[in-house]
């Protein structure tokens, strides 16, 4: 990993500002993040949370910089949420005078050094209704007295700026390994969907087939139905499986993700179709 960038360099490079595809996070996955009271050391983080990762988004098609396996999971969930229109990770609290005032307001000791100590929020997400939500993740084992003081400052900062702030721990996350695997698989499938050149005509035909025939085939597994559709439409084997994953990822098909949905035990009757009426291209737009 490279050495941490200086504050002035980050500001000059435009890190921590912008939105959408133009946003640059305050911390990058390739950057060494020193122990400051709000982050564990890289060695501790890698041991406890997983390695830093660069991951291309679907909601916003840019590289996102994620500093733990938990952040990767949260990002994946956010990126699959159709109500979220922007995700900004490693978002800095750059109103430094306001931050200092909050430290004084709560009588909390602030780190003093030649280099400004910039607090960051793991995710700042924007919803379709234009409201924003700041989300910070921290494992319960790291919720020290000092850490909670810093979170008090972070929460107050966002409240003063009209943004709701939420602290998330591992207790709020699904514990099922199958769920985690499914979420990651759906996300990866949706990212590569465009490259597979499956026409909207085929997607709509598969959607319509399930919509119209799921009751007749209710005792068949999803995989069996996918094979039947591939043969019926004379399309490449596996095409319907890919489309099923897209429709699940986009929330058009709803299924319990705590199970392996392509096992023999998961029947087509377990799918809930949440889309009313005909499918449109915007429904599956990545």
């Amino acid at each position: 990993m490279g050495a941490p960038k200086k504050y002035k360099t980050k500001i000059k490079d435009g890190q921590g500002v912008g939105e959408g595809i133009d946003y640059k996070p305050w911390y990058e996955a390739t950057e060494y993040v020193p122990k400051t009271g709000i982050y564990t050391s890289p060695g501790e983080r890698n041991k406890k949370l997983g390695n830093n990762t660069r991951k291309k988004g679907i909601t916003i098609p840019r590289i996102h910089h994620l500093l733990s396996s938990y952040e990767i999971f949260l990002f994946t969930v956010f990126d699959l949420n159709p109500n979220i229109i922007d995700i900004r990770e490693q978002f800095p609290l750059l109103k430094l005078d306001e931050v200092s005032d909050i430290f004084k307001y709560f009588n909390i000791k602030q780190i003093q050094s030649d280099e400004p100590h910039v607090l960051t929020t793991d995710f700042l997400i924007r919803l379709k209704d234009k409201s924003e939500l700041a989300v910070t993740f921290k494992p319960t084992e790291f919720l020290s007295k000092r850490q909670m003081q810093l979170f008090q400052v972070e929460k107050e900062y966002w409240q003063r700026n009209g943004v709701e702030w939420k602290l998330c721990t591992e207790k709020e996350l699904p514990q099922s390994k199958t769920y985690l695997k499914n979420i990651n698989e759906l996300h990866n499938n949706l990212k590569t969907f465009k490259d597979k050149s499956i026409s909207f005509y085929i997607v709509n035909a598969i959607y319509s087939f399930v919509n119209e025939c799921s009751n007749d085939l209710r005792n068949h597994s999803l995989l069996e139905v996918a094979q039947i559709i591939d043969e019926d439409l004379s399309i490449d084997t596996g095409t319907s499986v890919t489309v099923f994953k897209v429709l699940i990822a986009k929330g058009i098909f709803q299924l319990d993700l705590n199970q392996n949905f392509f096992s023999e035990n998961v029947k087509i009757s377990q799918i809930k179709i949440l889309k009313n009426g005909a499918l449109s291209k915007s429904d599956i737009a990545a």
Side-chain angles (χ1 to χ4, degrees):
M1 287 186 179
K5 290 183 181 179
K6 298 292 186 179
Y7 172 82
K8 289 184 178 179
T9 302
K10 288 177 179 286
I11 294 298
K12 182 180 179 181
D13 291 345
Q15 290 181 236
V17 297
E19 55 187 49
I21 201 166
D22 297 320
Y23 173 74
K24 294 181 180 180
W26 187 253
Y27 288 120
E28 298 175 336
T30 55
E31 181 181 357
Y32 173 91
V33 182
K35 188 172 182 178
T36 61
I38 192 166
Y39 287 102
T40 60
S41 69
E44 287 177 307
R45 183 191 306 113
N46 291 345
K47 180 180 179 182
K48 299 289 185 180
L49 307 180
N51 295 324
N52 298 355
T53 298
R54 301 167 77 249
K55 189 162 184 162
K56 188 172 183 180
I58 297 170
T59 303
I60 300 296
R62 67 170 176 82
I63 296 298
H64 294 257
H65 295 257
L66 309 164
L67 305 185
S68 76
S69 57
Y70 287 121
E71 284 189 13
I72 295 168
F73 173 74
L74 284 172
F75 168 74
T76 302
V77 172
F78 294 153
D79 208 26
L80 289 174
N81 189 328
N83 292 318
I84 293 176
I85 61 173
D86 195 6
I87 306 169
R88 285 173 282 179
E89 74 283 9
Q90 322 309 334
F91 193 91
L93 282 54
L94 287 180
K95 297 179 181 179
L96 300 185
D97 290 341
E98 185 171 343
V99 171
S100 294
D101 178 69
I102 295 172
F103 270 98
K104 293 175 183 177
Y105 177 78
F106 287 118
N107 195 27
I108 297 173
K109 184 178 180 180
Q110 186 174 14
I111 294 175
Q112 301 296 327
S113 65
D114 295 335
E115 190 76 3
H117 173 50
V118 178
L119 299 178
T120 57
T121 293
D122 291 337
F123 296 101
L124 179 61
I125 60 178
R126 180 172 294 159
L127 306 175
K128 278 186 176 180
D129 63 4
K130 306 301 182 182
S131 66
E132 292 183 323
L133 174 66
V135 180
T136 286
F137 179 88
K138 184 65 71 173
T140 52
E141 63 178 304
F142 295 141
L143 295 181
S144 63
K145 179 180 178 180
R146 173 61 177 174
Q147 186 64 74
M148 294 308 295
Q149 289 178 331
L150 293 173
F151 284 156
Q152 189 177 18
V153 172
E154 189 178 343
K155 180 179 180 180
E156 178 69 17
Y157 177 93
W158 285 115
Q159 286 183 337
R160 291 188 182 189
N161 286 275
V163 176
E164 181 183 354
W165 178 84
K166 176 178 174 57
L167 172 62
C168 181
T169 72
E170 75 278 8
K171 293 182 178 180
E172 283 79 51
L173 302 184
Q175 301 301 310
S176 166
K177 291 183 179 179
T178 300
Y179 184 96
L180 301 178
K181 179 182 178 181
N182 284 339
I183 283 290
N184 191 56
E185 186 175 343
L186 291 175
H187 190 266
N188 290 336
N189 183 80
L190 197 57
K191 281 197 300 184
T192 60
F193 173 62
K194 281 187 174 181
D195 299 332
K196 295 181 180 178
S197 301
I198 301 175
S199 69
F200 175 71
Y201 171 82
I202 293 298
V203 174
N204 192 49
I206 293 170
Y207 164 78
S208 299
F209 189 104
V210 175
N211 209 0
E212 296 167 7
C213 302
S214 59
N215 191 53
D216 294 334
L217 299 172
R218 60 182 299 105
N219 293 323
H220 288 67
S221 69
L222 267 67
L223 189 57
E224 288 173 333
V225 173
Q227 292 170 344
I228 290 171
I229 297 175
D230 287 345
E231 293 175 4
D232 187 75
L233 298 179
S234 298
I235 54 181
D236 291 341
T237 300
T239 299
S240 293
V241 168
T242 295
V243 172
F244 278 6
K245 291 178 182 178
V246 169
L247 296 175
I248 294 169
K250 300 300 288 186
I252 296 167
F253 286 172
Q254 187 179 68
L255 198 63
D256 181 6
L257 298 184
N258 290 298
Q259 56 188 338
N260 179 0
F261 39 75
F262 289 112
S263 71
E264 293 182 0
N265 296 326
V266 180
K267 308 301 182 183
I268 195 70
S269 57
Q270 292 177 246
I271 284 183
K272 292 182 180 179
I273 301 177
L274 302 184
K275 167 73 177 177
N276 293 320
L279 199 65
S280 65
K281 290 184 178 179
S282 62
D283 289 327
I284 60 168

